Amino acid sequence: FVLQSGSRDYSQDDQNPHYDARWCLKNTHERTGAPTYFFDVLPRPEDGPLHVDLWRPPERLSLLDMAHVKTTHGLSETLITSIRQTDPSSLFLVYHNRLGTARFLLCLSCEYRWLCGACHRPLRVDDTSFSCTGCKTRFPLPLSCPSCHGTNLTTKGIGIKNLQSRLRRLFEDRVVCTVQAGDTFPERGIAIVTNALWSHAILPPISGIAIPYLEHVFVHTGFDAEERAYRTIRRLAGLALDFGVPCIMQAWDAALLSSALRSTQKIFQEENTLRKQLGYPPFQNLVTVLNTKTNSVVTKRLSPDVVDSTLASLPPSFDISVR
């Protein structure tokens, strides 16, 4: 049995995306013939066919359209009221995976956004410089926009520090804290949690869950960016279902949530169709071959039945990555 098989927390995809619990279980099945079972929030097509769809959204789910609701400090009156109606002696979770102040620079004249040239991620504004959350490179802050040469620049975005400050102003009677990896969960108050939430195997009883800025969940880069966002939303909604508590999500684009909460079977079918069109796994393997002598890199698309024989024919000087 493998539980949470598709979660990035449990895979070693920094080395090889196939070398994780699923790969080991599949190998065991091929050697012994023992039946295997995968349980996950959002299964992957390469894990095999989807036999049972157990997904269902929480009964007390609220999606708030931020374009049509009144807000205070970036939080809707509905969310504020929901927190106030909960027992102060219980714990309310607020998910916001944005560290520090999470500010990004924006040109108000042409809406130009600064991206890292290597990682193509938005550069985060620190006190005196830019920094890339991917490669950690720092850049000096610009004086003008490279696109329109204007100087009408501003910073936007909110990190957990600012969110914590806002919640403390709104809820002076409650303890508001940030919980990250290695921190102990409080038993009451309001806890702002990041992805470190998933490193805690056992959670204290909670009275509600909120995602105040749903769009922030979709800012990841990479081929599986949408999958990662869907997985996060469904895991949080699943927690609300398990605890029988309200789940409140604020968004400027309601379609983001409706797509994430579709049936697993529907998402699975669409993903399979797209992967087949693009020639992605499990229909074709993407093989990156690096010749360590010439330092040349070639990416090949190989059908699964010829991958082993093709790779076996390469000399030891080739470094190979398969996905």
Side-chain angles (χ1 to χ4, degrees):
F1 291 84
V2 171
L3 305 179
Q4 298 272 67
S5 63
S7 303
R8 295 173 66 91
D9 321 353
Y10 301 96
S11 65
Q12 300 179 19
D13 56 359
D14 56 327
Q15 300 176 19
N16 187 324
H18 279 230
Y19 189 73
D20 55 21
R22 292 163 296 191
W23 184 90
C24 296
L25 195 63
K26 181 180 178 181
N27 181 263
T28 301
H29 170 71
E30 292 174 348
R31 288 188 295 102
T32 66
T36 59
Y37 302 90
F38 297 93
F39 296 88
D40 195 14
V41 177
L42 192 61
R44 306 186 317 170
E46 51 262 59
D47 290 334
L50 178 65
H51 297 290
V52 181
D53 186 356
L54 300 176
W55 162 254
R56 59 190 177 99
E59 298 176 358
R60 302 164 65 184
L61 175 64
S62 299
L63 172 63
L64 305 178
D65 186 348
M66 296 294 286
H68 300 93
V69 299
K70 182 180 179 181
T71 62
T72 302
H73 301 300
L75 302 175
S76 67
E77 292 297 327
T78 302
L79 176 55
I80 295 172
T81 301
S82 298
I83 297 178
R84 284 180 176 156
Q85 289 177 345
T86 60
D87 185 353
S89 62
S90 62
L91 182 65
F92 194 98
L93 295 185
V94 178
Y95 178 86
H96 190 60
N97 193 37
R98 284 290 170 272
L99 301 179
T101 57
R103 295 180 296 154
F104 300 101
L105 194 63
L106 172 69
C107 175
L108 293 178
S109 301
C110 67
E111 296 189 351
Y112 179 85
R113 296 173 185 269
W114 279 258
L115 303 177
C116 174
C119 304
H120 302 289
R121 294 187 178 187
L123 295 174
R124 189 170 65 188
V125 179
D126 296 328
D127 293 334
T128 58
S129 63
F130 273 142
S131 64
C132 175
T133 58
C135 62
K136 310 302 180 183
T137 305
R138 289 187 173 273
F139 306 88
L141 290 174
L143 300 176
S144 61
C145 173
S147 177
C148 68
H149 305 290
T151 57
N152 192 12
L153 312 181
T154 186
T155 56
K156 287 192 173 184
I158 178 173
I160 54 179
K161 289 183 179 179
N162 289 336
L163 181 58
Q164 186 179 54
S165 176
R166 294 181 182 188
L167 289 171
R168 282 176 175 170
R169 287 199 296 269
L170 289 168
F171 303 96
E172 297 179 354
D173 60 329
R174 304 202 186 193
V175 176
V176 180
C177 63
T178 299
V179 180
Q180 299 191 52
D183 294 343
T184 302
F185 257 98
E187 295 183 356
R188 60 181 61 87
I190 301 173
I192 303 173
V193 296
T194 65
N195 269 355
L197 168 67
W198 313 121
S199 65
H200 294 266
I202 301 176
L203 297 178
I206 59 177
S207 59
I209 297 176
I211 304 179
Y213 307 100
L214 190 64
E215 279 78 7
H216 284 185
V217 183
F218 288 84
V219 299
H220 299 290
T221 59
F223 176 74
D224 63 344
E226 192 172 75
E227 174 193 332
R228 292 172 64 185
Y230 286 178
R231 183 179 305 283
T232 298
I233 293 172
R234 291 160 77 95
R235 292 175 80 179
L236 290 168
L239 276 180
L241 179 64
D242 291 342
F243 283 95
V245 298
C247 183
I248 305 166
M249 303 186 188
Q250 298 185 157
W252 293 94
D253 184 1
L256 293 175
L257 183 62
S258 59
S259 297
L261 297 183
R262 291 173 296 169
S263 72
T264 310
Q265 194 69 255
K266 181 70 174 178
I267 295 177
F268 201 82
Q269 290 172 352
E270 292 182 0
E271 176 76 8
N272 261 328
T273 300
L274 180 61
R275 287 185 179 219
K276 192 170 185 178
Q277 292 173 350
L278 297 175
Y280 270 74
F283 303 98
Q284 284 185 306
N285 286 90
L286 301 181
V287 182
T288 301
V289 180
L290 167 64
N291 188 329
T292 55
K293 290 184 177 180
T294 63
N295 205 32
S296 59
V297 180
V298 177
T299 299
K300 302 176 180 289
R301 294 179 184 269
L302 302 174
S303 59
D305 57 329
V306 300
V307 170
D308 292 340
S309 58
T310 302
L311 300 185
S313 65
L314 296 175
S317 60
F318 286 85
D319 186 16
I320 304 165
S321 174
V322 183
R323 64 184 176 96

